[in-house]
Amino acid sequence: MSIAIVKNQLADMKLFGMLDVLENALAEATRSQLSGSELLNQLVQAEVDYRQKRKTANRIKTAKFRDRPAFEDFDFTAKRSINRPQIKEIQSLAWLEDARPLMLIGPTGVGKSFVAQAAGLHACASGKSVMFTSITKWLEHLNLARSSGSYLRYRDKLAKFDLIIFDEMGSRKLTATEAQDLCEILEERSSNKSVVFTSQLPLDHWSEVIADTVIADAIFDRLRHSALTIEVTGESYRGVKAKKLA
């Protein structure tokens, strides 16, 4: 059977990982005198790697990140309180495996959203499904779903994600109904899933943006006892970048 026929058959079966490496693998097998089983292992591994990359790419697309930062790109030269051990702890995703919320608290520009999205991207690469949204956009979608009669379907959709990242918590005040929705999401995720919050407001100030004090206390109590909370202070990333470009 000719190589052209084999390539066509691989394409027909959608074995694109094998197809991509076939010619190089055959050349390497001849050069290194690989056995049939060794060649087969190479081709199968190529297909596995290809499909994993496709799945990761799809998870990243579904997450709708605003940016795609990596932990390796975090600038430790800036004078900020977050340090390498803390970044390493976030990157380990142990908090996600333990269903602990992650809270990144600090002023604007210190890298909270960078770290949150880097964690989300790393989770995608680790096989986790992720949704990234600003708290304002999430509330808009939530209210639209409620008014259009698709609220339960939207909640079911949220429940499928292993990790939800809420960016800019505190940028908008939550009504009692919206706060109840958030509280229920935290409750639903307390056993096997997680959330990330970025916020300029320390947790004990969240009552300022949650209309119902009883629900605010419930949210506070749940996060205070379970969350991995990292306060980030120091130089603005934008300021550091501007200095470097000057």
Side-chain angles (χ1 to χ4, degrees):
M1 185 182 295
S2 70
I3 297 298
I5 293 175
V6 172
K7 291 173 75 172
N8 287 335
Q9 290 178 336
L10 290 175
D12 288 342
M13 292 185 289
K14 301 186 185 305
L15 297 174
F16 298 115
M18 290 187 180
L19 178 60
D20 286 345
V21 303
L22 179 63
E23 291 190 15
N24 287 340
L26 289 173
E28 173 64 20
T30 301
R31 185 167 54 251
S32 302
Q33 296 184 328
L34 299 182
S35 66
S37 62
E38 288 173 325
L39 174 60
L40 181 60
N41 284 340
Q42 281 193 10
L43 293 173
V44 171
Q45 188 60 53
E47 186 63 33
V48 169
D49 293 344
Y50 172 82
R51 295 194 179 201
Q52 289 296 336
K53 288 179 181 177
R54 283 285 303 273
K55 288 179 181 179
T56 296
N58 287 336
R59 285 190 289 267
I60 291 172
K61 182 179 180 180
T62 300
K64 293 181 167 45
F65 296 109
R66 186 170 59 239
D67 304 300
R68 297 188 180 183
F71 285 114
E72 294 77 13
D73 297 328
F74 189 80
D75 185 2
F76 287 101
T77 65
K79 296 178 181 178
R80 288 188 289 244
S81 61
I82 193 167
N83 55 41
R84 290 183 187 276
Q86 288 173 319
I87 290 293
K88 186 176 180 180
E89 183 176 17
I90 295 171
Q91 190 173 7
S92 74
L93 301 181
W95 50 275
L96 175 54
E97 296 296 339
D98 294 337
R100 296 180 64 194
L102 170 64
M103 299 186 62
L104 300 165
I105 309 297
T108 185
V110 293
K112 304 185 302 296
S113 296
F114 181 105
V115 173
Q117 290 180 95
L121 282 159
H122 188 54
C124 286
S126 301
K128 304 294 185 181
S129 57
V130 180
M131 184 184 87
F132 174 86
T133 180
S134 69
I135 196 74
T136 300
K137 183 178 290 186
W138 174 67
L139 292 173
E140 289 172 354
H141 285 214
L142 195 66
N143 291 325
L144 179 61
R146 184 175 276 111
S147 64
S148 65
S150 59
Y151 174 76
L152 293 179
R153 187 162 63 250
Y154 182 64
R155 284 292 299 269
D156 288 342
K157 176 183 175 181
L158 294 180
K160 294 177 181 179
F161 290 104
D162 297 309
L163 176 65
I164 299 178
I165 301 173
F166 293 110
D167 197 29
E168 301 173 346
M169 173 64 186
S171 60
R172 175 190 179 292
K173 195 164 186 175
L174 277 67
T175 66
T177 300
E178 293 167 344
Q180 183 61 43
D181 287 325
L182 181 60
C183 192
E184 289 176 3
I185 283 179
L186 292 176
E187 173 67 28
E188 291 167 357
R189 303 190 149 260
S190 61
S191 60
N192 61 352
K193 296 181 180 181
S194 188
V195 295
V196 174
F197 289 103
T198 72
S199 180
Q200 294 187 49
L201 287 177
L203 182 58
D204 56 4
H205 284 262
W206 281 23
S207 58
E208 299 171 11
V209 294
I210 297 177
D212 190 301
T213 56
V214 174
I215 300 174
D217 287 343
I219 291 173
F220 174 81
D221 189 65
R222 179 169 297 281
L223 292 174
R224 179 184 61 178
H225 291 296
S226 62
L228 169 61
T229 302
I230 296 177
E231 296 187 10
V232 188
T233 59
E235 288 184 309
S236 164
Y237 173 77
R238 297 175 186 87
V240 173
K241 188 176 181 181
K243 288 179 184 178
K244 289 182 176 180
L245 292 174

